[in-house]
Amino acid sequence: MPKRLFGLMLVLPALAVIVFLFIVPLAASVIGAFVVDGGYGFGNFTKSFALYASDIVFTVIIVSLSTVLTGLFAIAIGGYLTLGENPRAVALLRWLYRWPMFIPFIVVGQVLRTFLAKNGLMNNVLMAAGIITPLQATSFLDWRGIVIAFVWKQTPFVALLVAGAMASVDRGTLEAARNLGASRLRILWEILVPQVATTLMVGLVLSFVTMMSVLSVPLMINAQSPTMITADIAFRINAYGDYGVANALGLISLAATACVAWIYLRHSVRERA
């Protein structure tokens, strides 16, 4: 048997899985977004923007805000793991910060729903400490709860990538900056962050895409209007069997993630030029 044919037979099962389980369903969803009453048109998109324009804007704002906060916390964690001078605090942080990575989103939603509710653990602790009164207790089960859930879940993933990249930076450069009197904050922002910017961007792009696809958190924390696109997609399918509008919303979500991926690819190409 020719080597070329033998190699093709080896990769054929993997190609078949990719084609039939990923490319074909994606193509069917994209085509389905334009199917209207047996023909083709933009009716599903018109209906989507008429019904869910506020939810689309809400989704982009919530995910963008969560991505920015995730990046800031990841830089703070990675920076302390690299520049921290207390070995016990560094070891404790290194042991603790990864835990949320192993918790599913649906459990995160349930945990934070119990914690952030008006009569939840957070307000009970604040009232027991005398910081707030029962009348001042408020529920965080709205956009704030979604942001907290996303940041709590995604920060360890990005921090793991950033901390690894920071650990590979030449220690001589950091020691030289310290000897010249630079503070740890200045070393972090002017030396470490620029050198790990590409790794940080990769982690944030992947986190953005992940957060755009989460259904359990908005359903459990804030299912009221405005809510996220994923909840709208589930509602159109389960309540109305309206796959046309659901596909259109999915394509809008895909376009948002494609914009973020395009920014990342443009930055990568510019660095390699």
Side-chain angles (χ1 to χ4, degrees), residues 78 82 158-171 174 191-193 195-200:
T82 306
V158 181
L160 184 66
L161 298 178
V162 170
M166 287 182 177
S168 64
V169 173
D170 182 19
R171 302 293 298 185
L174 306 181
I191 297 178
L192 283 177
V193 172
Q195 295 194 56
V196 302
T198 301
T199 303
L200 175 64

Side-chain angles (χ1 to χ4, degrees), residues 28-80:
S29 297
V30 172
I31 295 172
F34 295 95
V35 175
V36 183
D37 298 330
Y40 292 95
F42 294 93
N44 291 323
F45 292 93
T46 304
K47 193 174 181 180
S48 297
F49 283 108
L51 294 176
Y52 303 113
S54 60
D55 291 352
I56 294 170
V57 175
F58 178 81
T59 300
V60 174
I61 292 175
I62 289 296
V63 175
S64 299
L65 176 62
S66 302
T67 303
V68 171
L69 293 177
T70 298
L72 293 176
F73 282 114
I75 290 171
I77 293 174
Y80 191 80

